[in-house]
Amino acid sequence: MEKLIMCLFIVFFELSNIFNLINNNVSKTFIILFTILTIGLNILMYVVSKLIKNKKLETKFLIIGSFIGIIYLFGIPMMKGTDEIPHFNRIYQIYSGNIVITDKTEVKVPENVKKYSDPKGLEFYQKDVIFEKDSKKLELMNMEDAASGYVPIQYIPQVLGYTTAKIFNFGPFISFYMVRLFNLVAFLLISFYALKRIPIKKEIVSILYLAPATLSLVSTMSGDAFLNANTLLFIAIVFDNLYNQKELNKKDLIMLLFTGTVIGTIKTVYIPILLLPLLLKDKKWKKCLIILLPVLAGLIWSKLSSNMSGLTNGDAALQLEFIFKNPLNYLTIFFKTFTNDVYYYITNLFAGSEMIQGAAEVNGFLVIGYTLIFILSFFNDNREYKINNIVKYVILFIFLLILGAVATTMYIGWTPLYDGIGGSNIIGVQSRYFIILVPILIALIPNKFKKIKYDFSNYVLLLSGLIALDTISSVLIFYFQLI
């Protein structure tokens, strides 16, 4: 009966999607090709559902993540992922040996590499373009379109992907997709190991990291892929040692130092996460080292990159002054920003209008369905766990610090550009900034509710697949005007 309901569910939404394309005067060619693609992907979804049967949760994560991730990897048009152009330009800078960029540094790229970095139409998907080699003629990179201040560590997988492509003498087109592939694979493998280590609520974390909003981001060149995966691994190792009352071994210490350095150098607003090891019953020098080394690395990079252009603007100081002079007013703005848009922020953790630079249109019913599965999965863990009040207070303090740091950074850096000094809303806050907070928040929620026992993996696969098809069709139409 359940299989019949799922089949009817798929047929209903795919037919409604096709009818929607017809009603929007989309070309017949696109509708036919999309219908063929839909049928093919639905068959593959069935195959994947068989592959994940009776597998461990982290293995299911790897299989589903690979399947849906590949759909986004090839379905999202070249360089149309969120902030993908500056990310690629930064990757090329690092590949060229320009680790630290100064205002006087000139980075030249092959002419067709620069041209392909912002493709405008379907002509870039012709056979002669796909297999074209790098041009011998070099052009100066537009430094304004390069995220020069971004720390190189977040681009390790991407640079490896681009380097591999050049070893095999691939041209720009294939090289771009190799970069995406290495980024996705690194995210999946690191997250896979983190899920093996995390002691509680594995399923709810896996569903979060399999969400369309996450996979559509990590299947591009975004540096957030490496950050989110390593942050989850950092949390997983700490929680594993905390809940099992273990002392850090040499392997875990090295991994915490590396993942902590990733956190401390990529996004300073997430540095409070480095306080989590203080909860461990371990030697003080280890805990201090885990905190101080990443912070020191972050300070060093901040000093090296201090001359690079960033998000700050001339009004940042005035905005900061406004906060200090009107703390209660700012707290009201902070509170209203999130409470007025609770539905928006929660649903966009999983899928929604923030995906692919706002170009995606996703069926709201599917998003709600995925959100409900995420919530229900919380009750699907029968492991009892207890944490004392001190641990709860520390975790809550870390959570609030990060929430406040992210929002305040956006209020200082972005709000003045769109809403002036003392704007009534915080502009620029996106749900993806809080993905890493969910595993921390889970530890604060009591585990005294009635448990259920149900395998949600097929529903995660189903909804992720349908949302992916919905997303790709709308994005292709948005960018290529296939009407």
Side-chain angles (χ1 to χ4, degrees), residues 6-46:
M6 291 178 72
C7 287
L8 292 173
F9 189 81
I10 292 172
V11 171
F12 172 77
F13 273 100
E14 297 305 356
L15 286 176
S16 65
N17 202 342
I18 292 170
F19 282 129
N20 183 53
L21 294 176
I22 295 172
N23 291 332
N24 283 283
N25 298 317
V26 177
S27 70
K28 291 182 180 179
T29 302
F30 181 78
I31 293 173
I32 292 171
L33 290 174
F34 181 77
T35 303
I36 294 172
L37 176 65
T38 297
I39 293 171
L41 288 177
N42 284 331
I43 293 172
L44 287 175
M45 281 171 60
Y46 176 77

mmCIF file of all heavy atoms in Angstrom, residues 6-46:
data_model
loop_
_atom_site.group_PDB
_atom_site.id
_atom_site.type_symbol
_atom_site.label_atom_id
_atom_site.label_comp_id
_atom_site.label_asym_id
_atom_site.label_seq_id
_atom_site.Cartn_x
_atom_site.Cartn_y
_atom_site.Cartn_z
ATOM 1 N N MET A 6 3.236 6.076 -2.775
ATOM 2 C CA MET A 6 4.426 6.805 -3.230
ATOM 3 C C MET A 6 4.442 6.942 -4.750
ATOM 4 O O MET A 6 4.801 7.993 -5.289
ATOM 5 C CB MET A 6 5.695 6.096 -2.745
ATOM 6 C CG MET A 6 5.900 6.164 -1.236
ATOM 7 S SD MET A 6 7.372 5.280 -0.658
ATOM 8 C CE MET A 6 8.657 6.358 -1.251
ATOM 9 N N CYS A 7 4.028 5.893 -5.456
ATOM 10 C CA CYS A 7 3.977 5.950 -6.924
ATOM 11 C C CYS A 7 2.967 6.985 -7.396
ATOM 12 O O CYS A 7 3.236 7.764 -8.321
ATOM 13 C CB CYS A 7 3.622 4.576 -7.490
ATOM 14 S SG CYS A 7 4.956 3.369 -7.383
ATOM 15 N N LEU A 8 1.793 6.986 -6.766
ATOM 16 C CA LEU A 8 0.766 7.964 -7.117
ATOM 17 C C LEU A 8 1.242 9.387 -6.814
ATOM 18 O O LEU A 8 0.960 10.327 -7.564
ATOM 19 C CB LEU A 8 -0.534 7.660 -6.354
ATOM 20 C CG LEU A 8 -1.268 6.373 -6.759
ATOM 21 C CD1 LEU A 8 -2.443 6.112 -5.807
ATOM 22 C CD2 LEU A 8 -1.766 6.472 -8.195
ATOM 23 N N PHE A 9 1.972 9.516 -5.709
ATOM 24 C CA PHE A 9 2.534 10.807 -5.309
ATOM 25 C C PHE A 9 3.493 11.332 -6.381
ATOM 26 O O PHE A 9 3.433 12.493 -6.783
ATOM 27 C CB PHE A 9 3.278 10.622 -3.979
ATOM 28 C CG PHE A 9 3.730 11.896 -3.330
ATOM 29 C CD1 PHE A 9 2.862 12.658 -2.580
ATOM 30 C CD2 PHE A 9 5.051 12.335 -3.464
ATOM 31 C CE1 PHE A 9 3.290 13.834 -1.973
ATOM 32 C CE2 PHE A 9 5.479 13.505 -2.868
ATOM 33 C CZ PHE A 9 4.590 14.247 -2.121
ATOM 34 N N ILE A 10 4.352 10.431 -6.863
ATOM 35 C CA ILE A 10 5.313 10.813 -7.899
ATOM 36 C C ILE A 10 4.603 11.214 -9.177
ATOM 37 O O ILE A 10 4.893 12.257 -9.775
ATOM 38 C CB ILE A 10 6.285 9.649 -8.178
ATOM 39 C CG1 ILE A 10 7.192 9.402 -6.979
ATOM 40 C CG2 ILE A 10 7.146 9.936 -9.414
ATOM 41 C CD1 ILE A 10 8.040 8.153 -7.089
ATOM 42 N N VAL A 11 3.653 10.386 -9.612
ATOM 43 C CA VAL A 11 2.926 10.653 -10.856
ATOM 44 C C VAL A 11 2.191 11.989 -10.778
ATOM 45 O O VAL A 11 2.233 12.793 -11.725
ATOM 46 C CB VAL A 11 1.929 9.514 -11.158
ATOM 47 C CG1 VAL A 11 1.014 9.902 -12.326
ATOM 48 C CG2 VAL A 11 2.668 8.227 -11.476
ATOM 49 N N PHE A 12 1.545 12.244 -9.652
ATOM 50 C CA PHE A 12 0.774 13.483 -9.482
ATOM 51 C C PHE A 12 1.678 14.708 -9.615
ATOM 52 O O PHE A 12 1.372 15.646 -10.365
ATOM 53 C CB PHE A 12 0.086 13.485 -8.116
ATOM 54 C CG PHE A 12 -0.561 14.793 -7.772
ATOM 55 C CD1 PHE A 12 -1.771 15.167 -8.340
ATOM 56 C CD2 PHE A 12 0.053 15.669 -6.876
ATOM 57 C CE1 PHE A 12 -2.366 16.388 -8.029
ATOM 58 C CE2 PHE A 12 -0.532 16.895 -6.560
ATOM 59 C CZ PHE A 12 -1.750 17.239 -7.143
ATOM 60 N N PHE A 13 2.804 14.701 -8.928
ATOM 61 C CA PHE A 13 3.669 15.878 -8.940
ATOM 62 C C PHE A 13 4.409 16.042 -10.261
ATOM 63 O O PHE A 13 4.647 17.169 -10.707
ATOM 64 C CB PHE A 13 4.654 15.835 -7.773
ATOM 65 C CG PHE A 13 4.087 16.426 -6.515
ATOM 66 C CD1 PHE A 13 3.581 15.612 -5.520
ATOM 67 C CD2 PHE A 13 4.007 17.799 -6.346
ATOM 68 C CE1 PHE A 13 3.026 16.150 -4.374
ATOM 69 C CE2 PHE A 13 3.462 18.348 -5.207
ATOM 70 C CZ PHE A 13 2.966 17.516 -4.210
ATOM 71 N N GLU A 14 4.762 14.934 -10.888
ATOM 72 C CA GLU A 14 5.446 15.071 -12.177
ATOM 73 C C GLU A 14 4.487 15.558 -13.253
ATOM 74 O O GLU A 14 4.851 16.370 -14.111
ATOM 75 C CB GLU A 14 6.089 13.738 -12.592
ATOM 76 C CG GLU A 14 7.174 13.243 -11.662
ATOM 77 C CD GLU A 14 8.290 14.248 -11.427
ATOM 78 O OE1 GLU A 14 8.295 15.332 -12.029
ATOM 79 O OE2 GLU A 14 9.182 13.955 -10.613
ATOM 80 N N LEU A 15 3.249 15.087 -13.220
ATOM 81 C CA LEU A 15 2.258 15.573 -14.175
ATOM 82 C C LEU A 15 1.948 17.044 -13.946
ATOM 83 O O LEU A 15 1.834 17.825 -14.900
ATOM 84 C CB LEU A 15 0.973 14.743 -14.073
ATOM 85 C CG LEU A 15 1.028 13.338 -14.672
ATOM 86 C CD1 LEU A 15 -0.280 12.596 -14.408
ATOM 87 C CD2 LEU A 15 1.297 13.399 -16.176
ATOM 88 N N SER A 16 1.842 17.434 -12.666
ATOM 89 C CA SER A 16 1.561 18.840 -12.355
ATOM 90 C C SER A 16 2.719 19.727 -12.803
ATOM 91 O O SER A 16 2.516 20.856 -13.256
ATOM 92 C CB SER A 16 1.308 19.023 -10.855
ATOM 93 O OG SER A 16 2.470 18.731 -10.093
ATOM 94 N N ASN A 17 3.939 19.203 -12.702
ATOM 95 C CA ASN A 17 5.118 19.948 -13.144
ATOM 96 C C ASN A 17 5.089 20.155 -14.658
ATOM 97 O O ASN A 17 5.357 21.248 -15.158
ATOM 98 C CB ASN A 17 6.393 19.192 -12.745
ATOM 99 C CG ASN A 17 7.603 20.105 -12.667
ATOM 100 O OD1 ASN A 17 7.607 21.205 -13.203
ATOM 101 N ND2 ASN A 17 8.643 19.654 -11.996
ATOM 102 N N ILE A 18 4.751 19.097 -15.387
ATOM 103 C CA ILE A 18 4.690 19.182 -16.847
ATOM 104 C C ILE A 18 3.584 20.133 -17.286
ATOM 105 O O ILE A 18 3.767 20.961 -18.202
ATOM 106 C CB ILE A 18 4.491 17.780 -17.453
ATOM 107 C CG1 ILE A 18 5.761 16.939 -17.218
ATOM 108 C CG2 ILE A 18 4.192 17.875 -18.957
ATOM 109 C CD1 ILE A 18 5.606 15.481 -17.564
ATOM 110 N N PHE A 19 2.416 20.041 -16.640
ATOM 111 C CA PHE A 19 1.308 20.945 -16.968
ATOM 112 C C PHE A 19 1.677 22.397 -16.683
ATOM 113 O O PHE A 19 1.288 23.317 -17.411
ATOM 114 C CB PHE A 19 0.051 20.564 -16.185
ATOM 115 C CG PHE A 19 -0.675 19.377 -16.747
ATOM 116 C CD1 PHE A 19 -1.032 18.310 -15.933
ATOM 117 C CD2 PHE A 19 -0.995 19.318 -18.098
ATOM 118 C CE1 PHE A 19 -1.691 17.206 -16.454
ATOM 119 C CE2 PHE A 19 -1.660 18.221 -18.627
ATOM 120 C CZ PHE A 19 -2.010 17.154 -17.804
ATOM 121 N N ASN A 20 2.462 22.596 -15.620
ATOM 122 C CA ASN A 20 2.924 23.943 -15.282
ATOM 123 C C ASN A 20 3.835 24.491 -16.378
ATOM 124 O O ASN A 20 3.762 25.672 -16.737
ATOM 125 C CB ASN A 20 3.668 23.916 -13.943
ATOM 126 C CG ASN A 20 4.110 25.295 -13.495
ATOM 127 O OD1 ASN A 20 3.310 26.227 -13.431
ATOM 128 N ND2 ASN A 20 5.384 25.434 -13.196
ATOM 129 N N LEU A 21 4.700 23.622 -16.926
ATOM 130 C CA LEU A 21 5.567 24.036 -18.029
ATOM 131 C C LEU A 21 4.746 24.408 -19.260
ATOM 132 O O LEU A 21 5.029 25.393 -19.948
ATOM 133 C CB LEU A 21 6.550 22.910 -18.378
ATOM 134 C CG LEU A 21 7.595 22.544 -17.314
ATOM 135 C CD1 LEU A 21 8.423 21.360 -17.788
ATOM 136 C CD2 LEU A 21 8.491 23.720 -16.978
ATOM 137 N N ILE A 22 3.703 23.623 -19.529
ATOM 138 C CA ILE A 22 2.839 23.898 -20.678
ATOM 139 C C ILE A 22 2.121 25.228 -20.510
ATOM 140 O O ILE A 22 2.051 26.052 -21.437
ATOM 141 C CB ILE A 22 1.817 22.754 -20.875
ATOM 142 C CG1 ILE A 22 2.551 21.458 -21.249
ATOM 143 C CG2 ILE A 22 0.800 23.117 -21.958
ATOM 144 C CD1 ILE A 22 1.648 20.236 -21.268
ATOM 145 N N ASN A 23 1.592 25.453 -19.311
ATOM 146 C CA ASN A 23 0.858 26.688 -19.038
ATOM 147 C C ASN A 23 1.741 27.926 -19.109
ATOM 148 O O ASN A 23 1.249 29.040 -19.328
ATOM 149 C CB ASN A 23 0.189 26.614 -17.662
ATOM 150 C CG ASN A 23 -0.945 25.615 -17.626
ATOM 151 O OD1 ASN A 23 -1.582 25.349 -18.661
ATOM 152 N ND2 ASN A 23 -1.220 25.047 -16.463
ATOM 153 N N ASN A 24 3.064 27.739 -18.899
ATOM 154 C CA ASN A 24 3.994 28.874 -18.958
ATOM 155 C C ASN A 24 4.634 29.021 -20.337
ATOM 156 O O ASN A 24 5.630 29.718 -20.497
ATOM 157 C CB ASN A 24 5.081 28.715 -17.890
ATOM 158 C CG ASN A 24 4.580 29.062 -16.503
ATOM 159 O OD1 ASN A 24 4.448 30.236 -16.155
ATOM 160 N ND2 ASN A 24 4.274 28.047 -15.711
ATOM 161 N N ASN A 25 4.022 28.347 -21.326
ATOM 162 C CA ASN A 25 4.454 28.468 -22.721
ATOM 163 C C ASN A 25 5.914 28.073 -22.941
ATOM 164 O O ASN A 25 6.628 28.670 -23.754
ATOM 165 C CB ASN A 25 4.237 29.902 -23.237
ATOM 166 C CG ASN A 25 2.768 30.291 -23.218
ATOM 167 O OD1 ASN A 25 1.905 29.504 -23.607
ATOM 168 N ND2 ASN A 25 2.485 31.500 -22.756
ATOM 169 N N VAL A 26 6.372 27.080 -22.176
ATOM 170 C CA VAL A 26 7.721 26.570 -22.368
ATOM 171 C C VAL A 26 7.758 25.779 -23.676
ATOM 172 O O VAL A 26 6.775 25.147 -24.068
ATOM 173 C CB VAL A 26 8.135 25.677 -21.176
ATOM 174 C CG1 VAL A 26 9.514 25.070 -21.400
ATOM 175 C CG2 VAL A 26 8.127 26.493 -19.892
ATOM 176 N N SER A 27 8.886 25.812 -24.366
ATOM 177 C CA SER A 27 8.988 25.165 -25.666
ATOM 178 C C SER A 27 8.690 23.665 -25.580
ATOM 179 O O SER A 27 8.996 23.007 -24.587
ATOM 180 C CB SER A 27 10.379 25.376 -26.254
ATOM 181 O OG SER A 27 11.337 24.644 -25.524
ATOM 182 N N LYS A 28 8.107 23.124 -26.666
ATOM 183 C CA LYS A 28 7.763 21.702 -26.713
ATOM 184 C C LYS A 28 9.006 20.830 -26.584
ATOM 185 O O LYS A 28 8.972 19.770 -25.961
ATOM 186 C CB LYS A 28 7.039 21.394 -28.012
ATOM 187 C CG LYS A 28 5.644 22.011 -28.105
ATOM 188 C CD LYS A 28 4.975 21.623 -29.416
ATOM 189 C CE LYS A 28 3.570 22.249 -29.506
ATOM 190 N NZ LYS A 28 2.899 21.903 -30.787
ATOM 191 N N THR A 29 10.101 21.281 -27.172
ATOM 192 C CA THR A 29 11.353 20.514 -27.110
ATOM 193 C C THR A 29 11.800 20.328 -25.667
ATOM 194 O O THR A 29 12.175 19.220 -25.248
ATOM 195 C CB THR A 29 12.470 21.231 -27.902
ATOM 196 O OG1 THR A 29 12.045 21.408 -29.254
ATOM 197 C CG2 THR A 29 13.758 20.426 -27.867
ATOM 198 N N PHE A 30 11.745 21.430 -24.915
ATOM 199 C CA PHE A 30 12.154 21.353 -23.508
ATOM 200 C C PHE A 30 11.226 20.443 -22.725
ATOM 201 O O PHE A 30 11.669 19.647 -21.892
ATOM 202 C CB PHE A 30 12.174 22.747 -22.875
ATOM 203 C CG PHE A 30 12.601 22.758 -21.439
ATOM 204 C CD1 PHE A 30 13.936 22.659 -21.092
ATOM 205 C CD2 PHE A 30 11.658 22.839 -20.418
ATOM 206 C CE1 PHE A 30 14.339 22.651 -19.766
ATOM 207 C CE2 PHE A 30 12.051 22.835 -19.089
ATOM 208 C CZ PHE A 30 13.396 22.738 -18.767
ATOM 209 N N ILE A 31 9.915 20.534 -22.970
ATOM 210 C CA ILE A 31 8.938 19.702 -22.254
ATOM 211 C C ILE A 31 9.183 18.223 -22.541
ATOM 212 O O ILE A 31 9.159 17.384 -21.625
ATOM 213 C CB ILE A 31 7.498 20.098 -22.646
ATOM 214 C CG1 ILE A 31 7.183 21.508 -22.139
ATOM 215 C CG2 ILE A 31 6.492 19.101 -22.077
ATOM 216 C CD1 ILE A 31 5.850 22.052 -22.614
ATOM 217 N N ILE A 32 9.457 17.885 -23.811
ATOM 218 C CA ILE A 32 9.713 16.492 -24.175
ATOM 219 C C ILE A 32 10.990 15.989 -23.496
ATOM 220 O O ILE A 32 11.016 14.905 -22.895
ATOM 221 C CB ILE A 32 9.829 16.354 -25.705
ATOM 222 C CG1 ILE A 32 8.465 16.621 -26.366
ATOM 223 C CG2 ILE A 32 10.331 14.958 -26.080
ATOM 224 C CD1 ILE A 32 8.527 16.717 -27.868
ATOM 225 N N LEU A 33 12.056 16.794 -23.583
ATOM 226 C CA LEU A 33 13.327 16.401 -22.969
ATOM 227 C C LEU A 33 13.197 16.283 -21.455
ATOM 228 O O LEU A 33 13.743 15.359 -20.841
ATOM 229 C CB LEU A 33 14.420 17.416 -23.325
ATOM 230 C CG LEU A 33 14.886 17.420 -24.785
ATOM 231 C CD1 LEU A 33 15.860 18.569 -25.023
ATOM 232 C CD2 LEU A 33 15.537 16.088 -25.152
ATOM 233 N N PHE A 34 12.451 17.219 -20.854
ATOM 234 C CA PHE A 34 12.273 17.186 -19.397
ATOM 235 C C PHE A 34 11.454 15.961 -18.990
ATOM 236 O O PHE A 34 11.731 15.339 -17.963
ATOM 237 C CB PHE A 34 11.581 18.470 -18.919
ATOM 238 C CG PHE A 34 11.389 18.520 -17.433
ATOM 239 C CD1 PHE A 34 12.448 18.816 -16.600
ATOM 240 C CD2 PHE A 34 10.152 18.243 -16.861
ATOM 241 C CE1 PHE A 34 12.284 18.848 -15.223
ATOM 242 C CE2 PHE A 34 9.972 18.282 -15.493
ATOM 243 C CZ PHE A 34 11.044 18.583 -14.668
ATOM 244 N N THR A 35 10.449 15.592 -19.784
ATOM 245 C CA THR A 35 9.632 14.409 -19.494
ATOM 246 C C THR A 35 10.475 13.143 -19.556
ATOM 247 O O THR A 35 10.380 12.271 -18.683
ATOM 248 C CB THR A 35 8.463 14.303 -20.487
ATOM 249 O OG1 THR A 35 7.684 15.497 -20.440
ATOM 250 C CG2 THR A 35 7.579 13.113 -20.152
ATOM 251 N N ILE A 36 11.344 13.041 -20.567
ATOM 252 C CA ILE A 36 12.233 11.886 -20.693
ATOM 253 C C ILE A 36 13.196 11.823 -19.507
ATOM 254 O O ILE A 36 13.423 10.761 -18.923
ATOM 255 C CB ILE A 36 13.025 11.961 -22.019
ATOM 256 C CG1 ILE A 36 12.071 11.827 -23.210
ATOM 257 C CG2 ILE A 36 14.102 10.869 -22.065
ATOM 258 C CD1 ILE A 36 12.734 12.091 -24.547
ATOM 259 N N LEU A 37 13.742 12.989 -19.148
ATOM 260 C CA LEU A 37 14.649 13.060 -17.995
ATOM 261 C C LEU A 37 13.930 12.655 -16.716
ATOM 262 O O LEU A 37 14.489 11.912 -15.889
ATOM 263 C CB LEU A 37 15.191 14.490 -17.850
ATOM 264 C CG LEU A 37 16.077 14.764 -16.636
ATOM 265 C CD1 LEU A 37 17.375 13.967 -16.721
ATOM 266 C CD2 LEU A 37 16.388 16.255 -16.523
ATOM 267 N N THR A 38 12.711 13.112 -16.553
ATOM 268 C CA THR A 38 11.923 12.793 -15.358
ATOM 269 C C THR A 38 11.694 11.294 -15.236
ATOM 270 O O THR A 38 11.872 10.711 -14.152
ATOM 271 C CB THR A 38 10.562 13.516 -15.412
ATOM 272 O OG1 THR A 38 10.781 14.926 -15.408
ATOM 273 C CG2 THR A 38 9.700 13.140 -14.218
ATOM 274 N N ILE A 39 11.304 10.664 -16.328
ATOM 275 C CA ILE A 39 11.061 9.223 -16.312
ATOM 276 C C ILE A 39 12.348 8.472 -15.963
ATOM 277 O O ILE A 39 12.357 7.546 -15.138
ATOM 278 C CB ILE A 39 10.526 8.752 -17.682
ATOM 279 C CG1 ILE A 39 9.126 9.347 -17.924
ATOM 280 C CG2 ILE A 39 10.460 7.223 -17.739
ATOM 281 C CD1 ILE A 39 8.602 9.128 -19.328
ATOM 282 N N GLY A 40 13.457 8.903 -16.590
ATOM 283 C CA GLY A 40 14.738 8.258 -16.326
ATOM 284 C C GLY A 40 15.174 8.390 -14.872
ATOM 285 O O GLY A 40 15.616 7.412 -14.251
ATOM 286 N N LEU A 41 15.009 9.582 -14.318
ATOM 287 C CA LEU A 41 15.425 9.807 -12.924
ATOM 288 C C LEU A 41 14.514 9.069 -11.945
ATOM 289 O O LEU A 41 14.973 8.596 -10.899
ATOM 290 C CB LEU A 41 15.423 11.308 -12.619
ATOM 291 C CG LEU A 41 16.557 12.102 -13.277
ATOM 292 C CD1 LEU A 41 16.423 13.586 -12.977
ATOM 293 C CD2 LEU A 41 17.923 11.610 -12.807
ATOM 294 N N ASN A 42 13.240 8.943 -12.288
ATOM 295 C CA ASN A 42 12.332 8.190 -11.419
ATOM 296 C C ASN A 42 12.706 6.713 -11.388
ATOM 297 O O ASN A 42 12.617 6.049 -10.339
ATOM 298 C CB ASN A 42 10.886 8.352 -11.896
ATOM 299 C CG ASN A 42 10.307 9.705 -11.516
ATOM 300 O OD1 ASN A 42 10.704 10.299 -10.520
ATOM 301 N ND2 ASN A 42 9.383 10.205 -12.310
ATOM 302 N N ILE A 43 13.138 6.186 -12.543
ATOM 303 C CA ILE A 43 13.612 4.798 -12.588
ATOM 304 C C ILE A 43 14.864 4.647 -11.724
ATOM 305 O O ILE A 43 15.006 3.681 -10.961
ATOM 306 C CB ILE A 43 13.905 4.371 -14.046
ATOM 307 C CG1 ILE A 43 12.595 4.321 -14.849
ATOM 308 C CG2 ILE A 43 14.605 3.017 -14.077
ATOM 309 C CD1 ILE A 43 12.799 4.101 -16.328
ATOM 310 N N LEU A 44 15.774 5.624 -11.834
ATOM 311 C CA LEU A 44 16.993 5.589 -11.023
ATOM 312 C C LEU A 44 16.680 5.728 -9.533
ATOM 313 O O LEU A 44 17.352 5.110 -8.696
ATOM 314 C CB LEU A 44 17.946 6.707 -11.463
ATOM 315 C CG LEU A 44 18.650 6.507 -12.803
ATOM 316 C CD1 LEU A 44 19.458 7.745 -13.172
ATOM 317 C CD2 LEU A 44 19.561 5.279 -12.757
ATOM 318 N N MET A 45 15.664 6.528 -9.195
ATOM 319 C CA MET A 45 15.256 6.649 -7.793
ATOM 320 C C MET A 45 14.810 5.310 -7.248
ATOM 321 O O MET A 45 15.106 4.958 -6.093
ATOM 322 C CB MET A 45 14.128 7.688 -7.664
ATOM 323 C CG MET A 45 14.602 9.130 -7.699
ATOM 324 S SD MET A 45 13.243 10.330 -7.808
ATOM 325 C CE MET A 45 12.345 9.961 -6.309
ATOM 326 N N TYR A 46 14.109 4.538 -8.072
ATOM 327 C CA TYR A 46 13.669 3.199 -7.653
ATOM 328 C C TYR A 46 14.878 2.296 -7.411
ATOM 329 O O TYR A 46 14.940 1.550 -6.432
ATOM 330 C CB TYR A 46 12.754 2.597 -8.719
ATOM 331 C CG TYR A 46 12.328 1.176 -8.416
ATOM 332 C CD1 TYR A 46 11.337 0.914 -7.468
ATOM 333 C CD2 TYR A 46 12.937 0.093 -9.064
ATOM 334 C CE1 TYR A 46 10.957 -0.392 -7.173
ATOM 335 C CE2 TYR A 46 12.569 -1.206 -8.776
ATOM 336 C CZ TYR A 46 11.574 -1.450 -7.827
ATOM 337 O OH TYR A 46 11.202 -2.734 -7.536
#
